[in-house]
């Protein structure tokens, strides 16, 4: 597999997502890290975005709620290189009717090699990394062969 470098600029584009039982955790985490988050562009799904905007006092780019397509909107933005990071506090103990969308979102993050934090500890490590303070060239698999493959009729 060939790779190409995609530069994540100093001001990163972060997606913050949380299931209902994890929204409080995400909001507390974001408030604690408000200064570190301040210069980044933040995307969020539905209710999470409204709560974060109120609590942090910063503009949040709000998408649909997860069950209404917000997870898929974030996945599309990852594929289009419009999101650099995914912080998704998901609830592993509750069934979710939109679970296929959640799995698809996590899959997009892996396919496009963006950092993913699924709990507070991993989010703490990521947000405090020295790599957050500058440009970072991440390696992304070159999928041109897949895009250009010939399909036999």
């Amino acid at each position: 597999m060939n790779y190409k470098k995609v530069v994540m600029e100093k001001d990163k584009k972060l997606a913050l997502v949380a299931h209902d039982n994890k929204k409080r955790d995400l909001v507390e985490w974001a408030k604690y890290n408000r200064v570190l988050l301040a210069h980044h562009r933040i995307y969020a799904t539905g209710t999470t975005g409204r709560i974060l905007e109120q609590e942090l006092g910063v503009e949040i780019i709000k998408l649909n709620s997860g069950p209404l397509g917000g997870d898929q909107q974030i996945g599309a933005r990852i594929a289009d290189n419009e999101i650099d990071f995914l912080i998704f506090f998901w609830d592993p103990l509750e069934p979710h009717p939109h679970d296929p969308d959640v799995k698809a979102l996590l899959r997009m993050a892996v396919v496009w090699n963006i950092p993913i934090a699924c709990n507070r500890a991993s989010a703490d490590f990521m947000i405090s990394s020295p790599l957050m303070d500058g440009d970072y060239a991440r390696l992304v698999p070159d999928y041109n062969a897949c895009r250009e493959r010939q399909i036999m009729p």
Side-chain angles (χ1 to χ4, degrees):
M1 169 85 46
N2 293 321
Y3 293 88
K4 61 181 178 178
K5 289 183 180 179
V6 174
V7 175
M8 294 167 43
E9 297 176 357
K10 178 181 180 180
D11 295 335
K12 310 288 189 286
K13 301 164 285 189
L14 291 86
L16 304 181
V17 182
H19 282 146
D20 288 345
N21 290 345
K22 297 294 183 175
K23 287 188 191 321
R24 176 195 268 153
D25 290 342
L26 181 64
V27 169
E28 287 175 5
W29 176 85
K31 286 170 69 173
Y32 181 81
N33 291 289
R34 180 185 324 222
V35 173
L36 296 173
L37 290 171
H39 65 89
H40 299 293
R41 188 170 196 177
I42 301 172
Y43 295 78
T45 53
T47 307
T48 304
R50 285 196 318 273
I51 294 169
L52 286 168
E53 198 167 64
Q54 290 170 355
E55 293 290 328
L56 300 178
V58 299
E59 180 184 355
I60 306 290
I61 300 164
K62 295 176 291 298
L63 306 171
N64 288 329
S65 82
L68 298 177
D71 297 329
Q72 292 177 342
Q73 288 177 302
I74 288 177
R77 282 171 172 75
I78 290 169
D80 289 339
N81 197 38
E82 294 174 20
I83 290 179
D84 299 319
F85 271 79
L86 174 60
I87 297 175
F88 186 178
F89 285 17
W90 60 277
D91 184 352
L93 302 179
E94 291 290 322
H96 301 283
H98 67 292
D99 194 50
D101 298 332
V102 171
K103 288 180 181 169
L105 173 57
L106 294 171
R107 181 179 174 278
M108 284 293 95
V110 172
V111 165
W112 295 104
N113 193 31
I114 69 163
I116 311 165
C118 294
N119 58 38
R120 193 168 184 154
S122 57
D124 283 341
F125 272 83
M126 281 184 10
I127 197 74
S128 63
S129 168
L131 298 174
M132 286 295 290
D133 291 332
D135 290 355
Y136 174 77
R138 71 177 154 80
L139 295 177
V140 176
D142 183 352
Y143 293 113
N144 282 334
C146 182
R147 290 183 180 116
E148 297 169 1
R149 70 180 186 261
Q150 297 296 317
I151 306 296
M152 302 301 291

